[in-house]
Amino acid sequence: MSVEAKKDWPLYEIFIRAKSGLDHKHVGSLHATDAKMALEHARDLYTRRQEGVSIWAVRSSDIVASDPAEADAFFEPARDKVYRHPTFYEIPDEVKTL
Amino acid sequence: MTPHCRYVLRLADTNLVLAQRLGEWVGHAPALEEDLGLANVSLDLMGQARLLLSHAGLLEGRGRGEDELAFLREESEYLNLTLAEQPNGDFGDTIVRQFLFDAWQLGLYECLTRSKDAALAAIAGKGIREATYHLRYSRGWLIRLGDGTPESHARVEGSLARIWPFTNELFDDDEVDRAIAAAGLGPLPSSLKNAWTSRVAEALASATLAQPAPSAFGWYGKQGRHSEHLGYLLAEMQSLHRAHPGATW
Amino acid sequence: MYTQGLDSLGKDCLADEARNGAALESRFQARVDAEEKIEAKDWMPEAYRRTLVRQISQHAHSEIVGMLPEGNWITRAPSLLRKTILIAKVQDEGGHGAYLYSAAETLGVSRSELVDQLLEGRAKYSSIFNYPTPTWADVGAIGWLVDGAAIMNQIPLCRCSYGPYARAMVRICKEESFHQRQGYEIMLRLARGTDGQRAMAQAALDRWWWPSLMMFGPSDNESKHSAQSMRWKIKRFSNDELRQKFVDTTVPQADYLGLKVPDSELRWDDSTQHYHFGPIDWAEFEQVLRGQGPCNRERLEARRRAHEDGQWVREAASAWAAKHEAATAARAA
């Protein structure tokens, strides 16, 4: 048996939009050889109970992710910028719709 | 039994027998994902079979329900297409059988939505969506196997040669078919041939497969004259039910 | 994606570990203690990763092998409705295996490695699936008892510390309760049916009761992994706790069926407010785990055959994709 033969089909990450109006959400991964097969497998694996109206399949190797080792530099600076939140501001009650 | 009832029973039995065959694959498919894929087709066909059987039972008017029809009829009373009862063989055999069937069933259902039998039209309407997906699935695999490796090409070429003779029956017009067509209940089988031939030719070309030569041999499963395979299939399917007459499950 | 990330993390990790291994470990434990979820690319102790790979893959293998004892009855189901339900259930089990392999793969192991381990007899899977299903009632008993026991184990795992595993478990648990109900419904019909059906049901209960109790594993004093797994919140309750809960829940269900649990020592204990049950034959459990159960060989043989027979199919699909990659990418765009 050749080494090629023993290799897995490529891994795809699957994102499902459960209902019109919602975002696509990551639900897991599966193996497929091509995009069409990935969609069919995703449909059979993740939408048997009417849990989806739209499927995105992305090759896992195509996903670029932030590195947890850099999480501090990436995400910590947002923490103390509280002035980005509406609750930071005191608006008198008499002023409406602000 | 009226031609109308016989006709519906033919559709029901074909779906039931094919669903039974696909059910045999569960747990043994080439990949986990295909276990799910084949099970999906089986469930869809089983669902259609049950609706059709109930409808046939009503048309018959003898009070027979889906289980009585499924489990207590003998081979000669089964009216499925002989294609459906052919053994699974390897994955290639199964895919070829499925593709040739799906290409036919989709065309049939498209016509049946115009049937004067409202119940049949409704079943066909629902069935079209399922048949569309099945065809996409089986066509995809036919092409991957036909245009995959030299081994897969040789294997599926063999499958095609073995199964092709059973497709004649899909387009044979007999008395029942003519009565149905005259009554506006369904299309003449022969009228479905051109559309089927184009669908099949397109897929075979993409699969780099040649169409086999036409076979002269006829099959008459829809008249209750079956290959040897149906006997074994029914024996397995019916044995437990028959072992406990009158029991409910 | 996940394997790539883990590789790079590995390199930084070793350097870090040399400098402040203890700090990383305690930060990790603090996160776990605070019920934070650990995700695929987060730092984790090597032993945590290994334990998870082992546990998740064993769970996945169990689902896959578990398709066989019930799949056995698809062609012979006694009504079309039962046949339909059974196909759907076994399909679900395959799906569960897929979710779990997917979760295991986030930890840097590939599906083919895991499948090889199973087929070469190097991986364990739940002992319960090495028992035969000689009658239809066994299908009912499996749904009622085996899925019932699985649910007890699985619900706490929805809160497991490892994110991908916890999320897979949530999905699985949603689907699992139909499995148990269909099993119990089968038993109910049998128990209220003909004499032959009732006898079939009782015989199945006799066969599956003790193996179901064994599913929870040996008492925790005997289990070497338990304590650490609890600390890492991979395991949330002890084997004995779950087993007791199972017995307490299931005995009344058996009573309702009018069937007798095959345990002469079984009785309600008012003082503990639990059922007292008899001793488990752990020798049998050990034998089955060692591969000498009634169906171990058949189950693995069936999986090997499916895998080998399917080799040419998988290769064909890969070959076609390679030939058409450019065209496929263009079409998908």
Side-chain angles (χ1 to χ4, degrees):
Chain A
M1 207 179 288
S2 69
V3 176
E4 201 56 45
K6 278 191 152 251
K7 245 172 45 173
D8 279 316
W9 291 342
L11 194 62
Y12 284 78
E13 301 301 325
I14 306 299
F15 303 80
I16 308 269
R17 193 203 304 282
K19 271 194 336 211
S20 157
L22 298 176
D23 288 343
H24 280 80
K25 214 173 79 120
H26 181 240
V27 291
S29 63
L30 51 80
H31 291 275
T33 53
D34 55 72
K36 190 164 157 304
M37 192 200 281
L39 290 178
E40 282 160 22
H41 284 171
R43 183 260 202 195
D44 287 335
L45 186 56
Y46 291 110
T47 69
R48 287 198 303 281
R49 287 167 168 79
Q50 298 185 293
E51 306 109 305
V53 301
S54 167
I55 299 173
W56 286 349
V58 184
R59 283 268 193 120
S60 305
S61 52
D62 284 339
I63 295 195
V64 184
S66 60
D67 187 343
E70 292 174 349
D72 278 354
F74 248 60
F75 301 114
E76 193 64 26
R79 191 187 282 225
D80 66 352
K81 296 183 171 62
V82 291
Y83 44 78
R84 286 200 171 119
H85 296 270
T87 44
F88 177 77
Y89 298 91
E90 271 186 39
I91 304 290
D93 289 332
E94 298 82 36
V95 183
K96 311 227 185 294
T97 63
L98 251 186
Chain B
M1 198 180 277
T2 64
H4 189 178
C5 181
R6 283 191 91 81
Y7 182 72
V8 175
L9 218 42
R10 285 175 174 180
L11 300 179
D13 289 345
T14 300
N15 279 351
L16 176 59
V17 168
L18 192 49
Q20 174 79 356
R21 278 296 185 218
L22 292 170
E24 293 168 21
W25 270 107
V26 182
H28 308 283
L32 182 52
E33 287 81 0
E34 301 325 314
D35 274 313
L36 271 64
L38 291 170
N40 170 65
V41 182
S42 179
L43 283 171
D44 286 345
L45 294 179
M46 185 67 69
Q48 292 168 24
R50 294 178 62 210
L51 290 172
L52 290 163
L53 281 173
S54 298
H55 186 43
L58 281 173
L59 289 172
E60 188 192 36
R62 281 172 46 193
R64 290 204 282 183
E66 67 185 28
D67 284 338
E68 201 176 331
L69 288 167
F71 293 96
L72 298 180
R73 278 184 303 149
E74 318 252 299
E75 292 80 354
S76 59
E77 298 170 272
Y78 257 75
L79 306 179
N80 56 284
L81 293 167
T82 323
L83 175 69
E85 74 202 41
Q86 297 314 298
N88 286 334
D90 67 12
F91 189 70
D93 293 321
T94 290
I95 286 297
V96 166
R97 181 187 64 199
Q98 196 59 44
F99 169 73
L100 296 173
F101 170 83
D102 290 336
W104 168 80
Q105 192 186 54
L106 183 55
L108 171 68
Y109 278 176
E110 281 164 350
C111 291
L112 281 179
T113 51
R114 297 188 288 276
S115 170
K116 292 208 175 130
D117 176 340
L120 193 52
I123 293 172
K126 176 170 177 287
I128 284 182
R129 269 173 243 138
E130 294 172 347
T132 303
Y133 189 80
H134 301 165
L135 182 60
R136 179 196 152 119
Y137 177 80
S138 59
R139 177 183 170 282
W141 270 109
L142 180 73
I143 292 172
R144 286 183 199 105
L145 298 179
D147 191 21
T149 61
E151 179 184 2
S152 69
H153 181 92
R155 282 197 190 228
V156 88
E157 203 170 47
S159 306
L160 200 52
R162 272 192 299 281
I163 296 173
W164 194 256
F166 296 100
T167 59
N168 290 343
E169 193 184 6
L170 303 180
F171 310 107
D172 267 343
D173 299 331
D174 67 6
E175 259 176 43
V176 171
D177 297 313
R178 281 187 283 272
I180 293 304
L185 295 169
L188 262 186
S190 55
S191 71
L192 299 172
K193 187 160 190 185
N194 284 344
W196 180 85
T197 302
S198 330
R199 272 193 173 119
V200 170
E202 180 278 325
L204 289 181
S206 300
T208 72
L209 290 164
Q211 187 165 303
S215 151
F217 199 81
W219 287 100
Y220 305 97
K222 67 187 195 183
Q223 290 168 12
R225 282 145 60 196
H226 294 278
S227 68
E228 291 178 353
H229 300 293
L230 188 65
Y232 288 103
L233 183 149
L234 290 182
E236 189 175 351
M237 190 177 95
Q238 300 179 339
S239 61
L240 175 59
H241 182 101
R242 286 178 183 253
H244 300 260
T248 54
W249 303 92
Chain C
M1 163 192 170
Y2 295 105
T3 20
Q4 286 173 342
L6 288 167
D7 283 345
S8 76
L9 203 48
K11 283 202 288 279
D12 295 339
C13 206
L14 288 174
D16 270 331
E17 220 161 338
R19 279 197 299 275
N20 44 6
L24 282 168
E25 288 252 11
S26 62
R27 203 179 92 155
F28 173 81
Q29 191 60 51
R31 291 188 66 202
V32 168
D33 292 338
E35 298 284 350
E36 272 179 47
K37 290 279 177 262
I38 309 298
E39 297 294 343
K41 289 176 72 188
D42 293 342
W43 187 90
M44 59 184 84
E46 189 47 37
Y48 177 84
R49 180 200 316 284
R50 268 201 314 271
T51 302
L52 275 172
V53 169
R54 197 196 70 243
Q55 183 168 324
I56 299 174
S57 60
Q58 278 177 12
H59 196 166
H61 296 322
S62 300
E63 297 283 354
I64 302 312
V65 175
M67 292 168 77
L68 298 172
E70 289 168 291
N72 201 13
W73 279 93
I74 286 175
T75 52
R76 292 172 292 166
S79 78
L80 296 186
L81 178 59
R82 290 290 161 214
K83 193 195 290 285
T84 305
I85 291 172
L86 189 54
I87 294 174
K89 183 192 190 234
V90 177
Q91 186 191 40
D92 269 358
E93 265 144 38
H96 295 175
Y99 303 151
L100 290 164
Y101 282 131
S102 158
E105 285 183 277
T106 64
L107 290 161
V109 66
S110 76
R111 165 93 73 95
S112 49
E113 276 176 71
L114 295 176
V115 169
D116 283 348
Q117 283 171 14
L118 174 67
L119 299 184
E120 290 166 18
R122 287 184 284 124
K124 290 202 196 142
Y125 55 91
S126 187
S127 54
I128 196 79
F129 299 116
N130 293 314
Y131 291 88
T133 48
T135 73
W136 171 252
D138 295 79
V139 173
I142 287 181
W144 171 37
L145 300 173
V146 175
D147 285 306
I151 289 171
M152 293 245 154
N153 249 322
Q154 285 166 185
I155 290 182
L157 286 175
C158 295
R159 292 180 297 124
C160 152
S161 56
Y162 187 57
Y165 191 22
R167 289 189 290 274
M169 292 315 305
V170 168
R171 191 170 261 285
I172 289 174
C173 284
K174 271 199 210 140
E175 299 180 357
E176 199 79 53
S177 54
F178 122 62
H179 296 183
Q180 193 186 23
R181 284 183 188 205
Q182 67 88 50
Y184 193 71
E185 195 181 72
I186 289 176
M187 297 302 280
L188 200 53
R189 294 286 169 85
L190 293 175
R192 291 178 175 172
T194 65
D195 288 344
Q197 286 177 303
R198 239 190 330 271
M200 205 198 292
Q202 180 63 62
L205 175 55
D206 291 344
R207 271 195 295 283
W208 290 92
W209 177 257
W210 291 105
S212 300
L213 296 197
M214 291 182 211
M215 272 179 81
F216 296 94
S219 184
D220 297 275
N221 342 326
E222 324 271 335
S223 173
K224 50 183 176 155
H225 300 290
S226 273
Q228 183 58 275
S229 288
M230 296 273 241
R231 222 170 301 130
W232 281 334
K233 299 202 204 279
I234 295 176
K235 188 181 170 63
R236 315 279 325 215
F237 293 103
S238 74
N239 297 346
D240 289 324
E241 276 177 282
L242 290 173
R243 188 179 3 254
Q244 184 64 60
K245 189 159 175 228
F246 175 74
V247 174
D248 292 340
T249 313
T250 311
V251 171
Q253 293 169 351
D255 290 341
Y256 185 82
L257 290 173
L259 298 176
K260 192 170 180 310
V261 171
D263 181 354
S264 55
E265 292 191 34
L266 184 69
R267 62 169 206 286
W268 177 254
D269 187 336
D270 256 333
S271 58
T272 60
Q273 286 294 296
H274 289 296
Y275 278 96
H276 168 86
F277 54 93
I280 293 177
D281 179 5
W282 289 110
E284 180 185 323
F285 181 72
E286 287 302 315
Q287 260 202 326
V288 172
L289 271 194
R290 265 202 308 270
Q292 279 148 32
C295 294
N296 293 61
R297 204 178 316 197
E298 282 169 33
R299 301 290 181 234
L300 281 189
E301 251 320 292
R303 291 307 305 158
R304 268 183 218 123
R305 219 174 320 122
H307 192 73
E308 279 156 19
D309 289 352
Q311 183 66 42
W312 70 274
V313 175
R314 295 189 300 272
E315 278 175 26
S318 297
W320 184 88
K323 280 191 222 180
H324 296 263
E325 188 142 296
T328 312
R331 253 201 310 273

